[in-house]
Amino acid sequence: MWYVYVLLCQDGSLYTGCTNDVEKRFAAHLAGKGGHYTRSRRPIKVMFQEEVADRSTALKRELEIKGWSRQQKINRLKLAI
């Protein structure tokens, strides 16, 4: 299974990504090895995760969510920020 996830970062921003292991990927973000964006903004917690069938579907869903505004992400994903 693959997952699309949204992280809350220390500066209040939201980071969206996809992976086949959310816990492992979050640990990588915390260790500063998850990507440039989260390296400088330091993630706090996983706010959302959605299971999808495969990598292709995860990538498409990630792009869809990344295209939304912050407020749309909060509303559509029912994020408690």
Side-chain angles (χ1 to χ4, degrees):
M1 297 311 301
W2 279 79
Y3 301 87
V4 177
Y5 63 93
V6 176
L7 303 178
L8 175 64
C9 296
Q10 285 182 350
D11 67 354
S13 64
L14 299 171
Y15 173 84
T16 305
C18 68
T19 184
N20 60 353
D21 186 337
V22 176
E23 289 181 26
K24 183 177 178 181
R25 186 69 175 146
F26 183 60
H29 283 296
L30 290 175
K33 299 178 182 184
H36 179 69
Y37 188 88
T38 57
R39 214 174 302 138
S40 61
R41 290 171 177 82
R42 310 306 292 170
I44 299 171
K45 65 180 176 176
V46 178
M47 298 296 295
F48 172 82
Q49 68 181 38
E50 177 179 274
E51 186 176 299
V52 295
D54 54 40
R55 184 173 186 262
S56 176
T57 304
L59 289 168
K60 288 175 187 172
R61 180 70 167 148
E62 176 187 4
L63 283 176
E64 177 186 10
I65 293 171
K66 282 184 173 182
W68 297 346
S69 69
R70 175 185 174 77
Q71 195 58 51
Q72 286 174 316
K73 290 175 189 174
I74 292 169
N75 293 340
R76 292 181 184 183
L77 302 177
K78 297 177 176 42
L79 303 180
I81 297 177

